[in-house]
Amino acid sequence: MRKIAAEQVEAALVESRAGGDFDKTVHGLRRRCKKIRGLLRLVRPNFPHFDEENAAFGNAADALSAARDAAVILETFVALEKQGALQAVSAETTERLRRELEENARRVASAQDRAALLIGFGDAMVAAQQRIERWTVKGRGFALLAPGLGNTYARLRKRMKAAERTGHDEAFHDWRKDAKGHWFHVGLFEDCAPDRLGARRDQCDTMGEYLGDHHNLAVLTERLTALAGPLDESLAKVIDERKAVLAGKAFALGRQLTVESPAELVARFEKFWKLLPKDT
């Protein structure tokens, strides 16, 4: 656990200091933090310092979120244009809304000291390096991992059902969080059975992408409403239709990925775990 976390933190430090495209760098750094938090959830029941460490990496990622979110929303709108999805929306409305989002992205960028944000993130990672060396867990072998693996998978199933039952954007976003968590857990186990678990990891990643695009459209609606008032009726219809398509794809894949009970999935992963060479 310490080795994996240390590798992610070291990679984040290198990326934060490398320069280059700011938005891509921030996206990568936030993804590193999500992977570490996924690792922590795998051992959560047996890791006494889960709460403070989960909060520390969450706060480090959140400090960068405003810098990335405004750009993502603009990218989402532009993608709808390029895909021809806004043909039913008047050219005047499309142009006006794109300008609003572009101006918002510029305002957010100009209000931030990007160099200072990356330095602050780096400081947080350096502090984390020192703490990681002292991390301890309770238990050994698969028994250390089984509760966290099962709990995350159980939440994934529960939140998928909540999204299907309510249709609320918040429920889809919650489902996405645990979809990403389970995706990372499967990736950690992949070496046990690469042919079986590699495919499951890819399918979880695809489901997470569907849910991520769904979330971006939901946030786009909120941002446009805040910037320009109630959505044009034709645009609102386009966004709702796109979300429905993405939801349908996510549910179709999610139902296949969650046919097992949590106990059944944990038992299967334990069998995969036993396939590892003894010296791994």
Side-chain angles (χ1 to χ4, degrees), residues 180 183 199-213 249-250 253 257:
K180 286 294 185 182
W183 161 77
R200 184 178 181 87
R201 180 210 60 208
D202 291 344
Q203 291 161 352
C204 288
D205 193 31
T206 298
M207 181 174 67
E209 291 301 314
Y210 292 147
L211 294 173
D213 290 344
K249 291 180 177 180
L253 193 48
L257 290 168

Side-chain angles (χ1 to χ4, degrees), residues 39 171 241 276:
L39 172 68
E241 289 174 348
L276 281 173

Side-chain angles (χ1 to χ4, degrees), residues 38-267:
L39 172 68
L40 296 177
R41 289 190 183 94
L42 183 60
V43 297
R44 178 176 185 173
N46 296 305
F47 181 46
H49 303 293
F50 172 83
D51 289 338
E52 54 261 46
E53 292 296 347
N54 184 56
F57 286 102
N59 291 338
D62 289 345
L64 301 172
S65 62
R68 176 65 183 152
D69 290 349
V72 169
I73 298 309
L74 174 59
E75 290 167 8
T76 300
F77 187 83
V78 171
L80 288 175
E81 282 190 278
K82 291 181 177 179
Q83 294 162 5
L86 302 184
Q87 292 179 352
V89 183
S90 71
E92 179 183 356
T93 297
T94 299
E95 177 67 21
R96 176 175 58 84
L97 294 177
R98 189 188 337 102
R99 286 199 304 268
E100 291 278 2
L101 292 172
E102 289 171 343
E103 178 58 29
N104 180 63
R106 281 193 292 270
R107 282 197 303 268
V108 171
S110 63
Q112 294 175 329
D113 184 336
R114 292 184 168 186
L117 283 173
L118 293 177
I119 290 172
F121 179 87
D123 290 343
M125 293 300 102
V126 170
Q129 282 181 316
Q130 298 170 6
R131 296 195 308 273
I132 288 170
E133 295 177 359
R134 302 190 298 271
W135 282 1
T136 59
V137 290
K138 301 175 181 178
R140 293 177 61 83
F142 185 79
L144 169 63
L145 311 174
L149 174 68
N151 290 345
T152 297
Y153 175 72
R155 280 198 310 273
L156 164 63
R157 298 175 87 226
K158 180 179 179 180
R159 287 177 164 177
M160 184 182 75
K161 291 175 182 177
E164 191 167 21
R165 184 178 67 255
T166 67
H168 293 164
D169 290 335
E170 296 84 354
F172 277 89
H173 187 43
D174 287 341
W175 174 21
R176 180 197 178 201
K177 293 176 185 177
D178 285 309
K180 286 294 185 182
H182 183 62
W183 161 77
F184 186 62
H185 291 174
V186 174
L188 289 173
F189 278 86
E190 186 178 350
D191 285 346
C192 301
D195 294 329
R196 295 289 302 277
L197 295 181
R200 184 178 181 87
R201 180 210 60 208
D202 291 344
Q203 291 161 352
C204 288
D205 193 31
T206 298
M207 181 174 67
E209 291 301 314
Y210 292 147
L211 294 173
D213 290 344
H214 185 284
H215 176 64
N216 288 342
L217 288 170
V219 177
L220 174 63
T221 299
E222 294 176 1
R223 193 63 49 85
L224 285 174
T225 301
L227 292 172
L231 283 192
D232 174 88
E233 185 175 328
S234 54
L235 177 58
K237 182 179 179 182
V238 166
I239 291 176
D240 285 344
E241 289 174 348
R242 302 285 286 192
K243 285 166 58 181
V245 169
L246 290 164
K249 291 180 177 180
F251 282 127
L253 193 48
R255 293 186 192 106
Q256 297 173 63
L257 290 168
T258 58
V259 292
E260 296 171 293
S261 70
E264 289 169 337
L265 178 121
V266 170

